[in-house]
Amino acid sequence: MDSIKKCTGWFVLGTLIFYLLSVTQSISVLLPTLLAWAANIAMWHTLAPSAKRQVSWLMGIGIATLLFAGSKGIWMSWQQVFAVNVPMLAMFVAVSFLDLTSSTDKNRPLPKGLSAIFNTTLSVQVLGAVINLSVIMVFADRMKAAIKLTPVQQLILTRSFAAAAWWSPFFVATGVALIYAPGLQWQKTLVPGLAMAFIAVIFTTAEAYYRTKGDFHGFPIRRESLFIPLFLALAVILFHFIWQDISILVLICILAPSATILLMRTDSRRKSLAHFVNHKLPQIGSQFALFLAAGIFSNGISAIILSYPEYFNLDNFTFSALLFSVVLACMILAGVIGIHPVVSIAIASPMLLPLNPDTTQLGFLFLSAWAISAGSSGLTGLGLLMTSRYHIPTRTIVANSAHYALFMWLLCSLVNGVFL
């Protein structure tokens, strides 16, 4: 058992490396799939009880529905069931490397006032868009050094971080959208996504200033801290323009680790990378478990839909602005009650794809559902982090952002109806 634990980080890293090799068709996707599941088994003991329950339910329902559909003559391929989310996991491993580029200055005082609110709100989104969840802990741990993390600090961190889902190619939400909205061209959702994310920053900044009257302790951000995230985002856009045949997801899998190794500041790259693989990568078990389980679950739903086409026949419907708005509202409410966005997306996708929706609209729907629900719920991963680590009650998180979720839902519906 100890030997398996020691190999966990290498299973995780192998998922990324062999996925990239499978893209070149030099090996089968079976190998990265086996490594992903091996990593999941090795990391299972690290999951919180609530995460184990959620994953077990997803897998149990998924397996039961697959077997039931099989009895009706509908069988899904092993790639659909076990490997559908492997590309997304490879991307998650790749962006995890960017944690090696983050740094903090513990000696600088916490800034105050309107500029501190705006700079913190914008910075957590820009940094979080690339470095992901570790940024929340860096910001929150530093900001609560002077006082306990306040509800206003919490809403700034969660909303701003989650809003990066609208536009960041490094966000897991983008990987989900690319998989569950087949044919989606990420650059087409970039402009409306950036607009939504910026409005989220302005809305949150104004509300935080109104609630605190400027008595707010922000994060002492340095301009150079923004260099790597902006550099990588521009690099992805540039390389995708040059090599359009290479998907955004594959580009991120290549660029994120490569840029990290080149730009990381350390006395010994070898020691830092070894510590990262052996100690940091084994900590992402919840993501592996959730996304692998969601793959089984979503294919179970798809199999049931294929088994009973007469009950799921949506030929009389079109993917209209009204349907977009209704589905988005349902997905946001699902997030508020604790259903992870990837699960609601996995349910919605097989229901909506037969309508032949515009992939830009469908992708925007999924990104919006992720951005709003993750930033408003106390029961998804981001909210649970705030509750467990910083002792912000779940009801406070939901109450803090109920009006925000309503406003952004209406705005997304408007953007979709008018511009998309």
Side-chain angles (χ1 to χ4, degrees):
M1 188 67 181
D2 290 337
S3 60
I4 294 177
K5 289 181 181 179
K6 290 179 181 178
C7 294
T8 301
W10 295 99
F11 288 154
V12 175
L13 181 60
T15 302
L16 168 63
I17 294 172
F18 288 104
Y19 165 71
L20 288 173
L21 290 175
S22 72
V23 171
T24 66
Q25 298 185 342
S26 57
I27 65 168
S28 168
V29 74
L30 176 62
L31 186 51
T33 302
L34 289 173
L35 287 168
W37 281 95
N40 180 43
I41 294 169
M43 292 186 288
W44 181 260
H45 71 282
T46 66
L47 269 62
S50 58
K52 288 181 179 179
R53 285 194 298 271
Q54 184 178 19
V55 169
S56 296
W57 276 106
L58 286 174
M59 284 191 178
I61 294 171
I63 292 170
T65 50
L66 285 168
L67 291 175
F68 180 79
S71 70
K72 300 291 183 181
I74 302 296
W75 292 99
M76 312 298 280
S77 69
W78 71 264
Q79 291 96 332
Q80 290 174 299
V81 176
F82 298 108
V84 63
N85 284 338
V86 167
M88 192 161 41
L89 289 175
M91 173 184 162
F92 190 85
V93 176
V95 299
S96 296
F97 272 84
L98 296 167
D99 187 39
L100 292 168
T101 66
S102 62
S103 61
T104 58
D105 187 344
K106 298 182 179 180
N107 297 319
R108 299 176 69 198
L110 299 181
K112 294 182 66 175
L114 178 60
S115 62
I117 296 173
F118 179 75
N119 288 339
T120 301
T121 306
L122 184 63
S123 298
V124 75
Q125 182 174 138
V126 174
L127 287 169
V130 177
I131 304 174
N132 282 332
L133 196 60
S134 60
V135 164
I136 290 287
M137 291 178 278
V138 169
F139 273 58
D141 287 349
R142 182 72 174 89
M143 289 163 65
K144 76 178 182 66
I147 53 175
K148 182 181 177 181
L149 197 70
T150 67
V152 173
Q153 288 174 324
Q154 170 269 310
L155 71 86
I156 281 179
L157 293 176
T158 52
R159 286 185 199 173
S160 301
F161 175 79
W166 266 303
W167 64 270
S168 172
F170 294 93
F171 226 71
V172 175
T174 301
V176 175
L178 289 169
I179 288 173
Y180 287 97
L184 169 66
Q185 294 180 302
W186 164 79
Q187 61 270 29
K188 290 186 177 181
T189 63
L190 180 60
V191 173
L194 281 169
M196 291 300 305
F198 186 70
I199 291 170
V201 168
I202 299 300
F203 184 97
T204 301
T205 298
E207 181 185 348
Y209 184 76
Y210 173 79
R211 290 177 59 169
T212 63
K213 302 298 187 290
D215 185 19
F216 173 89
H217 290 85
F219 185 83
I221 193 70
R222 283 183 166 184
R223 289 182 182 177
E224 55 266 31
S225 301
L226 302 176
F227 169 74
I228 292 175
L230 292 175
F231 169 78
L232 284 170
L234 290 173
V236 168
I237 295 170
L238 176 63
F239 280 107
H240 184 63
F241 178 78
I242 297 172
W243 293 297
Q244 296 185 10
D245 292 338
I246 302 178
S247 71
I248 288 284
L249 193 147
V250 172
L251 278 176
I252 293 168
C253 288
I254 296 170
L255 287 174
S258 302
T260 296
I261 294 171
L262 289 173
L263 299 174
M264 62 189 292
R265 297 177 181 178
T266 179
D267 294 331
S268 172
R269 281 186 172 84
R270 182 178 178 181
K271 288 182 179 179
S272 296
L273 289 170
H275 182 269
F276 174 76
V277 172
N278 290 319
H279 299 282
K280 294 291 185 179
L281 287 183
Q283 296 177 8
I284 61 176
S286 60
Q287 286 79 16
F288 265 62
L290 179 62
F291 288 121
L292 289 173
I296 295 176
F297 178 82
S298 66
N299 277 281
I301 298 296
S302 298
I304 292 296
I305 292 172
L306 291 172
S307 300
Y308 295 96
E310 66 275 14
Y311 294 115
F312 296 96
N313 186 346
L314 299 178
D315 289 344
N316 296 327
F317 293 85
T318 58
F319 192 61
S320 62
L322 177 60
L323 184 60
F324 176 100
S325 185
V326 170
V327 173
L328 178 58
C330 292
M331 296 174 80
I332 293 170
L333 289 173
V336 171
I337 64 174
I339 298 175
H340 195 282
V342 73
V343 178
S344 58
I345 290 170
I347 295 173
S349 178
M351 297 285 289
L352 297 175
L353 285 176
L355 302 182
N356 296 315
D358 178 82
T359 53
T360 301
Q361 288 182 288
L362 188 62
F364 185 66
L365 169 68
F366 293 160
L367 294 174
S368 298
W370 192 297
I372 298 173
S373 61
S376 307
S377 173
L379 294 174
T380 53
L382 193 52
L384 291 173
L385 174 65
M386 286 292 160
T387 301
S388 61
R389 189 179 178 97
Y390 303 107
H391 311 294
I392 305 290
T394 299
R395 61 180 179 275
T396 300
I397 297 174
V398 175
N400 262 344
S401 290
H403 58 287
Y404 166 80
L406 178 61
F407 174 77
M408 299 308 284
W409 167 70
L410 289 170
L411 190 60
C412 281
S413 300
L414 179 65
V415 168
N416 173 68
V418 175
F419 298 105
L420 297 178

